[in-house]
């Protein structure tokens, strides 16, 4: 106690002496630090406290504040609706004839008449168009003249052969002369047969100047006009048989393989959907169109009504009963480690939960779920890879 009292006495003397010096100098205000050493020591302690203070404050915060809560995610959703029928289609097409022919002249020439146009109903033997007959008539006259000339030469050669044979019997000519007469006769007769064939051809070509229908039908296309010069076989008109009609549709190549070949399709007019008919697949094109990447499918119409006119636009679809399933967009499915699941929004509409499902069919745009869902549940259809179990969400106004 004496030592402590002595120490305090000496400290008090030092402070009193320092205060007297300050008052003696005439200065006012706060008292300066006792010694330069003590001042530097206080400044260092203050800096140390400032550095340690943030660490102490962080250590004092609750542990739950370190892990930030996941943000509220806006999500798109759809309602789970079970279906018990699958519809293949619909696809747009047209009504076309099963049998149709492109008719043309068997000879070339200039068109001088076209008696029908698109949509006209024609009967067998009716004239459709005609060529200028002047040139074929000239050929006919020449053929007739050739026949007359060949016939005269053949008759002369036959008479010569007969005379030579009689002279041969009397010994007045040699055998070589008789053989020459026989050869001339045979040559003349062959030329006569050739001329007669040319005459028959010329006569037929006169008939070829008129184009006539081979069967009853309707004109679906015209390819030539009056005054046009045609070559042999060039198409003039197209005639179809209306009694046998079929539906023709173009189906995308990726769906053609899934099309049931033995299905009974429903065909309806686009202008009058209540007018329907049944169709069965008759032919599927083996190759896809290089431009549209579609395959052409032809379906036979069973007892189509009269409204199914050639060229009418139709809609083709096929409905099949299947086990109850839930169709969903492919973006709603979360597949990880062989596990298929979807995100279900709770009843309050503010959180999601992951649920495993059974997928029956997978497609590039749609999937079908057979187990794991209930009718009316809300299923998230976008951003399924960024959600967490129990995450707070905000639903869109309307389901997709």
């Amino acid at each position: 106690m004496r030592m402590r009292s002595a120490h305090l006495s000496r400290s008090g003397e030092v402070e009193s002496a320092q205060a007297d010096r300050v008052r003696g100098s005439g200065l006012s205000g706060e008292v300066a630090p006792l010694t330069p050493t003590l001042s530097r020591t206080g400044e260092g302690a203050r800096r140390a406290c400032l550095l340690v203070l943030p660490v102490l404050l962080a250590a004092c915060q609750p542990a739950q504040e370190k892990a930030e809560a996941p943000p509220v995610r806006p999500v798109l959703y759809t309602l789970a609706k079970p279906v018990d029928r699958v519809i293949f289609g619909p696809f747009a097409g047209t009504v076309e004839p099963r049998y149709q022919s492109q008719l043309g002249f068997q000879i070339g020439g200039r068109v001088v008449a076209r008696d029908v146009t698109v949509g006209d109903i024609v009967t067998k033997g009716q004239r459709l168009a005609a060529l200028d007959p002047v040139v074929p008539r000239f050929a006919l006259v020449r053929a007739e003249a050739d026949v007359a000339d060949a016939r005269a030469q053949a008759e002369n050669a036959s008479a010569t052969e007969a005379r030579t044979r009689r002279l041969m019997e009397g010994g007045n000519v040699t055998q070589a002369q008789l053989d020459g007469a026989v050869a001339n006769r045979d040559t003349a007769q062959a030329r006569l047969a050739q001329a007669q064939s040319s005459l028959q051809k010329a006569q037929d070509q006169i008939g070829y100047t008129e184009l006539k229908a081979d069967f009853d039908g309707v004109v679906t296309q015209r390819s030539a006009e009056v005054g046009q010069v045609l070559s042999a076989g060039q198409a003039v008109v197209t005639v179809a048989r209306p009694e046998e009609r079929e539906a023709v549709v173009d189906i995308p190549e990726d769906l053609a393989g899934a099309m049931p070949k033995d299905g009974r399709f429903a065909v309806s007019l686009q202008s009058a959907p209540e007018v329907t008919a049944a169709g069965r697949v008759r032919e599927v094109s083996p190759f896809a169109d290089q431009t549209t990447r579609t395959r052409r499918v032809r379906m036979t119409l069973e007892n189509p009504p009269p409204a199914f006119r050639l060229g009418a636009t139709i809609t083709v679809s096929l409905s099949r009963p299947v086990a109850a399933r839930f169709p969903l967009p492919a973006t709603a499915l979360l597949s990880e480690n062989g596990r298929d699941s979807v995100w279900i929004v709770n009843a309050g509409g503010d959180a999601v939960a992951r649920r495993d499902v059974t997928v029956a069919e997978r497609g590039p745009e749609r999937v079908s779920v057979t187990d794991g869902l209930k009718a009316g549940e809300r299923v998230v259809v976008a951003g399924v890879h960024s959600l967490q179990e129990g995450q707070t969400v905000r639903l869109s106004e309307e389901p997709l």
Side-chain angles (χ1 to χ4, degrees):
M1 290 294 291
R2 292 195 185 100
M3 293 179 63
R4 183 178 180 183
S5 299
H7 177 72
L8 292 175
S9 177
R10 285 195 299 270
S11 299
E13 291 176 359
V14 173
E15 292 177 357
S16 298
Q18 188 175 6
D20 292 340
R21 287 194 300 268
V22 171
R23 286 193 297 269
S25 63
L27 298 175
S28 62
E30 297 182 356
V31 179
L34 296 178
T35 60
T37 304
L38 293 176
S39 176
R40 288 193 298 269
T41 303
E43 181 67 22
R46 187 173 64 85
R47 291 179 179 177
C49 290
L50 293 176
L51 293 174
V52 174
L53 183 59
V55 178
L56 296 177
L57 292 177
C60 294
Q61 291 180 354
Q64 59 269 22
E65 293 182 4
K66 294 182 180 180
E68 297 183 358
V72 178
R73 280 285 308 276
V75 295
L76 301 176
Y77 72 99
T78 186
L79 297 178
K81 298 179 181 179
V83 297
D84 57 1
R85 301 188 71 85
V86 175
I87 298 178
F88 183 79
F91 304 103
T94 57
V95 178
E96 296 186 7
R98 181 171 182 178
Y99 302 107
Q100 60 180 356
S101 300
Q102 291 184 341
L103 304 182
F105 295 100
Q106 298 186 36
I107 60 174
R110 183 173 63 89
V111 180
V112 295
R114 182 179 53 78
D115 302 331
V116 296
T117 187
V118 176
D120 290 349
I121 298 176
V122 298
T123 58
K124 183 178 180 180
Q126 179 180 343
R127 195 183 82 162
L128 307 177
L131 294 177
D132 186 358
V134 174
V135 175
R137 285 177 181 173
F138 287 157
L140 177 60
V141 173
R142 178 179 178 178
E144 291 174 347
D146 291 341
V147 168
D149 181 37
R151 181 177 289 110
Q153 292 183 7
E155 292 176 355
N156 186 24
S158 297
T160 302
E161 185 270 338
R163 289 193 299 269
T164 303
R165 187 175 297 277
R166 289 194 298 268
L167 292 175
M168 180 63 186
E169 293 174 355
N172 297 319
V173 296
T174 63
Q175 183 64 38
Q177 291 175 330
L178 178 60
D179 294 341
V182 172
N184 291 336
R185 182 203 60 187
D186 294 341
T187 301
Q189 289 179 350
R191 289 177 178 174
L192 176 60
Q194 181 180 6
Q196 289 176 343
S197 298
S198 299
L199 175 61
Q200 183 63 44
K201 180 180 178 180
Q203 292 174 347
D204 292 341
Q205 288 184 342
I206 287 292
Y208 295 157
T209 57
E210 291 186 350
L211 180 62
K212 298 182 179 181
D214 296 332
F215 50 84
D216 297 342
V218 58
V219 178
T220 59
Q221 185 180 3
R222 65 181 187 188
S223 306
E225 299 294 339
V226 175
Q228 185 176 350
V229 178
L230 305 178
S231 59
Q234 185 174 345
V236 178
V237 294
T238 302
V239 179
R241 296 185 178 184
E243 65 273 7
E244 294 192 33
R245 289 161 287 175
E246 59 185 14
V248 179
V249 295
D250 294 327
I251 296 179
E253 186 177 13
D254 55 346
L255 298 180
M259 181 185 64
K261 303 298 188 298
D262 56 347
R264 199 165 181 263
F265 287 78
V267 184
S268 61
L269 292 177
Q270 289 190 359
S271 58
E274 65 279 4
V275 181
T276 62
R280 294 188 179 274
V281 176
R282 182 183 66 84
E283 175 185 307
V284 179
S285 176
F287 302 103
D289 185 87
Q290 295 183 356
T291 303
T292 61
R293 305 309 302 170
T294 58
R295 291 192 181 185
R296 176 150 294 187
V297 179
R298 295 182 176 272
M299 301 180 184
T300 301
L301 296 175
E302 300 178 354
N303 300 321
F308 276 70
R309 298 183 178 88
L310 297 179
T313 305
I314 56 175
T315 300
V316 179
S317 61
L318 176 64
S319 177
R320 294 180 297 166
V322 295
R325 60 191 61 194
F326 296 87
L328 295 175
T331 55
L333 186 65
L334 178 60
S335 299
E336 292 180 348
N337 301 324
R339 174 188 176 191
D340 294 328
S341 57
V342 296
W343 292 101
I344 305 297
V345 182
N346 63 3
D350 56 357
V352 293
R354 186 173 178 179
R355 185 186 300 173
D356 292 342
V357 295
T358 302
V359 180
E361 295 181 359
R362 302 173 187 264
E365 298 181 358
R366 306 286 292 181
V367 296
S368 296
V369 175
T370 56
D371 190 19
L373 290 179
K374 297 180 180 179
E377 288 186 321
R378 291 172 287 192
V379 182
V380 179
V381 297
V384 295
H385 293 85
S386 59
L387 293 175
Q388 300 178 10
E389 185 71 26
Q391 183 173 356
T392 304
V393 296
R394 185 177 68 254
L395 300 181
S396 57
E397 294 181 359
E398 297 292 337
L400 297 180

